[in-house]
Amino acid sequence: MSNPKPGAKIHIIYYSMYGHIAQMAKQVLKGVEAAGAQGFLFQIPETLPQDVLDKMHAPKKDDKVPVVTYDKLDDILVNCDGIIFGYPTRYGGMCGQMKTFWDQTGGLWMKGALMSKPFSIFFSTSTQGGGQETTALTSLSNFVHHGMIYVPIGYSSPKLADMNEIHGGSAYGAGTLSGPDGSRQPSALELEVAEHSGKHLTEIAMALKIGRDALPKKEASPPNPEQKSVPPEPSRSRQSSANLKAKENK
């Protein structure tokens, strides 16, 4: 009988305006759970006023998925074994909502709270040339400054090389194409790659967790108040001058 996989907790944090990323996030969750981990969905707060969203014909957000407010930031980002971020592109880069969310993590950066935490990215663009690579690439500095470990999917899924249909996704992560008017929905191929990406990150996060748990615990030894301080040894220059004076006095 094989040993059970160690418990791991993966958080999927996303922003979705028209629902494409939300669909991908649910598929990523399936991959996380298929790999034997606990997966949890979270969405970040909206920054646009409702009247602007109405003019953009943005549908209502999924109220079943909890929103990561500032007071929950530490718990959601720190207390997990890996994070998978999802967001649509804005001019080939991270959308403003996700950037605003990430700009609030300065306190965690000061403490090094996210150091060495594995993460991956999935994304949505309107067209093939709209940022299926640059959306992830240009956002990496946000995570690199925290010392996080980027886990791209590479071409671990053969579906990425499927030339029989137009599809999103790249070596940087799973992706979908929404079309210029947002009417195109994630295809079966894109959803399959999204599920694979969730499984891929989870397996890496589990491997890291096993290795870290096997390392000897580092326990800091507090100073002993009863231990007497030892005076510092004299420097060579001080010793040399003292020897010279001794010779002159002879």
Side-chain angles (χ1 to χ4, degrees):
M1 183 176 179
S2 61
N3 294 326
K5 294 180 179 180
K9 185 163 66 169
I10 307 296
H11 288 173
I12 303 163
I13 303 174
Y14 71 89
Y15 170 78
S16 185
M17 177 174 284
Y18 293 107
H20 299 81
I21 287 293
Q23 290 185 59
M24 295 283 282
K26 292 175 182 177
Q27 206 69 23
V28 170
L29 176 61
K30 290 183 178 180
V32 170
E33 294 174 338
Q38 290 182 300
F40 299 91
L41 291 173
F42 300 95
Q43 54 185 330
I44 64 169
E46 180 60 77
T47 59
L48 294 175
Q50 188 58 49
D51 61 328
V52 173
L53 292 172
D54 292 341
K55 292 176 181 178
M56 298 176 71
H57 306 289
K60 183 181 178 183
K61 302 289 191 296
D62 186 351
D63 55 11
K64 295 180 181 178
V65 179
V67 176
V68 185
T69 52
Y70 183 75
D71 59 310
K72 299 176 182 177
L73 198 65
D74 289 26
D75 181 50
I76 301 301
L77 291 175
V78 176
N79 296 324
C80 61
D81 299 296
I83 305 174
I84 307 175
F85 295 99
Y87 40 85
T89 189
R90 288 295 181 271
Y91 307 112
M94 177 187 284
C95 65
Q97 289 85 349
M98 182 61 76
K99 188 65 172 67
T100 299
F101 168 77
W102 202 250
D103 283 348
Q104 300 176 65
T105 61
L108 296 177
W109 173 77
M110 290 289 291
K111 296 183 291 186
L114 301 179
M115 189 68 66
S116 301
K117 188 179 293 294
F119 76 98
S120 64
I121 306 168
F122 61 100
F123 34 79
S124 171
T125 69
S126 61
T127 63
Q128 285 178 292
Q132 287 289 314
E133 293 182 340
T134 61
T135 302
L137 181 61
T138 58
S139 64
L140 286 181
S141 62
N142 295 277
F143 311 111
V144 168
H145 278 259
H146 280 272
M148 300 174 73
I149 302 174
Y150 178 37
V151 183
I153 60 174
Y155 284 90
S156 55
S157 170
K159 291 294 183 179
L160 282 175
D162 190 332
M163 298 297 291
N164 294 316
E165 63 177 272
I166 295 175
H167 61 82
S170 68
Y172 292 89
T176 185
L177 305 173
S178 63
D181 61 356
S183 61
R184 183 185 183 276
Q185 299 302 308
S187 67
L189 185 151
E190 292 168 341
L191 293 173
E192 183 176 338
V193 175
E195 183 174 345
H196 168 79
S197 72
K199 184 178 180 182
H200 182 70
L201 181 281
T202 302
E203 290 173 345
I204 300 295
M206 282 182 168
L208 287 170
K209 179 178 175 61
I210 292 171
R212 289 167 179 169
D213 289 345
L215 291 172
K217 302 297 181 182
K218 294 181 179 179
E219 296 182 1
S221 301
N224 186 352
E226 298 180 359
Q227 184 177 359
K228 296 181 179 180
S229 60
V230 179
E233 295 183 0
S235 63
R236 289 185 177 181
S237 60
R238 290 173 60 190
Q239 286 179 337
S240 300
S241 64
N243 293 336
L244 184 61
K245 287 183 180 179
K247 289 179 180 181
E248 290 176 351
N249 294 332
K250 286 185 179 179

